Structures are given as structure tokens and as C-alpha cells.
Amino acid sequence: MPEHYLLCFNDECSQADSCLHRLAAQSGLQKDEVVMVVNPTRFCGMKCKYYKENKVAMMAYGMKDSFHDVKADHIASQRNTLINHFGRGSYYLRRNGLHAITPEEQQYIASVFRHYGYEIKFDLMKEETQWL
């Protein structure tokens, strides 16, 4: 579970059994002294805007090895395209394998590599809960 993850203690929610915010609150895994909680008095039935489905996905970590095959005249523009999309810090966290790359992000990164004529091979693939 990520640090400072939004928790939900709403016992009345019909989606509680499949919502990560509720499951995280019940897990006892949070180690924060101060937590953020969905206000149960603002509960809006089946259309909770904070609902996050509990699902497992194939997450990627790192993409440093894929850049070894990229030609020198492509590498700067390809990297800048990814930095413009993710932001400098977030891009480097993903590139270096310090932040999970979601399936949606993997598709975007693969499209950037394809645009320049390359295939992406992420450094590590791991099945895990998709928290964000």
C-alpha cells in the first residue's frame, strides 16, 4: 500500500467489499500517524467519486535497458516526450524502476518507442495490486 493512501471507514457503502480505500482502512497496514479519510457524511451511494476497484495488474518497473538500443539522434527527443508527459521527477522514478508503471502508462511508453521505431522491454514485470 502506498504511503498516505486515502482511507475509507464507511460501513454503509455498497461497494466497500471491492474498494481499495475501504480494504486499506480495514487492513491495519497504514503506518501513518495522521491519515486522510473520505468523509462518510458525504457518501453518495453507488457513485462514490473515490471508489477504486481492487484489481491486480501486470506492473512494470524500469526501462533503462531499452534505451541502450535507441540511436543517439533519437534519445533526447524520445526522453523529452516522456518527460513532458510524466514530469521530470516522475519520469526518472519510472525509468529507474523506483515507481511502478501501470498498464495504461506502459501503453503510452510503448507508443512513444514505436513512434521512433523501437520496441520497449521493461526491466521487470510483476503482478500486483494497482493502487493508483
Side-chain angles (χ1 to χ4, degrees):
M1 179 172 66
E3 282 187 292
H4 314 299
Y5 197 67
L6 180 66
L7 304 176
C8 179
F9 293 97
N10 190 339
D11 293 329
E12 305 300 316
C13 180
S14 59
Q15 297 176 301
D17 291 341
S18 63
C19 180
L20 279 175
H21 298 293
R22 179 70 176 135
L23 296 172
Q26 292 175 323
S27 73
L29 293 176
Q30 60 274 14
K31 295 178 175 116
D32 300 325
E33 289 185 25
V34 177
V35 296
M36 282 192 9
V37 178
V38 176
N39 184 349
T41 64
R42 299 293 311 262
F43 176 66
C44 53
M46 289 294 291
K47 296 191 179 207
C48 178
K49 69 180 182 180
Y50 298 103
Y51 176 75
K52 176 65 176 156
E53 182 183 8
N54 180 15
K55 65 180 181 179
V56 174
M58 191 59 73
M59 305 296 266
Y61 287 86
M63 54 182 140
K64 287 199 276 191
D65 290 342
S66 291
F67 281 100
H68 294 304
D69 298 329
V70 176
K71 293 181 181 171
D73 53 337
H74 292 155
I75 200 159
S77 56
Q78 187 174 345
R79 183 180 57 237
N80 286 337
T81 299
L82 294 170
I83 288 171
N84 287 336
H85 180 79
F86 291 108
R88 183 169 299 280
S90 292
Y91 161 73
Y92 282 106
L93 288 172
R94 285 167 175 79
R95 187 198 74 159
N96 296 331
L98 301 172
H99 188 286
I101 304 169
T102 67
E104 296 80 14
E105 293 170 340
Q106 293 169 41
Q107 288 177 357
Y108 175 76
I109 293 167
S111 74
V112 171
F113 271 75
R114 272 192 308 277
H115 175 77
Y116 287 93
Y118 304 98
E119 290 295 317
I120 179 78
K121 184 172 185 312
F122 296 102
D123 299 343
L124 172 69
M125 299 296 292
K126 195 161 100 175
E127 195 172 70
E128 60 186 41
T129 300
Q130 188 172 348
W131 290 98
L132 306 172

